[in-house]
Amino acid sequence: MKKTTNKVQDNYMKAKAVVESIESRQKEIERQYIADKGIVNPDGSIPELLYCMEDDAAFETANEECSAIIVSAGLESELNAASAVLKTAEEKLIEYGLSIAPAGVRAVLQEEVKKNACTRMKVIDLVFRLDASTVRM
């Protein structure tokens, strides 16, 4: 079977997966904290995550305690490191995408990806979806 991604896309995909995995583990800690503490909103609903808590004072306490759990588990430093790798992979992906764009489009996009987050994400999405087997590296 023909490979449809290149190394730049693969690196981005792997870095994104690592970040999402760590974030998922953090969310699971929050869910467990909510369950263990029996946290319930005034309307009787159980918040899915801490930010869904309606009581601001209870949220502040829960957020501090849960953050301490996440830090002590090493997830904060893991996420910071993984986010840095993802940022580098994003930069490389954008750089690759711009390198294959037509010259006129490239000039506009080079400036826009620096100052517009929406444009940046659209370029990342388009380059990530690109069938790399159709483009010379």
Side-chain angles (χ1 to χ4, degrees):
M1 179 171 211
K2 190 174 180 180
K3 184 166 169 63
T4 60
T5 59
N6 62 26
K7 186 171 180 71
V8 176
Q9 291 166 315
D10 289 341
N11 289 343
Y12 172 78
M13 193 175 358
K14 290 173 186 170
K16 182 93 169 156
V18 169
V19 167
E20 288 175 353
S21 172
I22 296 167
E23 288 172 342
S24 176
R25 291 177 11 218
Q26 288 181 333
K27 287 177 183 177
E28 189 52 44
I29 288 172
E30 286 187 26
R31 286 186 193 98
Q32 189 62 50
Y33 179 89
I34 290 168
D36 290 348
K37 298 290 184 176
I39 297 173
V40 179
N41 284 327
D43 65 0
S45 65
I46 298 173
E48 182 181 343
L49 296 169
L50 294 183
Y51 75 88
C52 299
M53 293 174 63
E54 294 176 11
D55 182 342
D56 290 339
F59 166 78
E60 291 297 329
T61 301
N63 192 41
E64 285 178 26
E65 291 176 3
C66 206
S67 292
I69 294 168
I70 288 170
V71 168
S72 69
L75 292 178
E76 182 180 40
S77 58
E78 261 187 76
L79 181 60
N80 290 340
S83 294
V85 171
L86 177 59
K87 179 75 173 166
T88 300
E90 285 178 352
E91 292 298 330
K92 296 283 186 194
L93 194 64
I94 289 171
E95 184 181 306
Y96 168 66
L98 294 178
S99 75
I100 62 174
V105 173
R106 182 180 317 128
V108 173
L109 288 178
Q110 281 176 327
E111 291 306 311
E112 281 300 307
V113 297
K114 291 177 187 173
K115 61 185 177 183
N116 187 321
C118 186
T119 302
R120 180 181 178 82
M121 293 313 298
K122 286 181 181 181
V123 169
I124 288 170
D125 184 55
L126 288 171
V127 178
F128 180 69
R129 294 172 186 254
L130 175 70
D131 179 351
S133 68
T134 64
V135 181
R136 283 188 174 174
M137 184 82 172

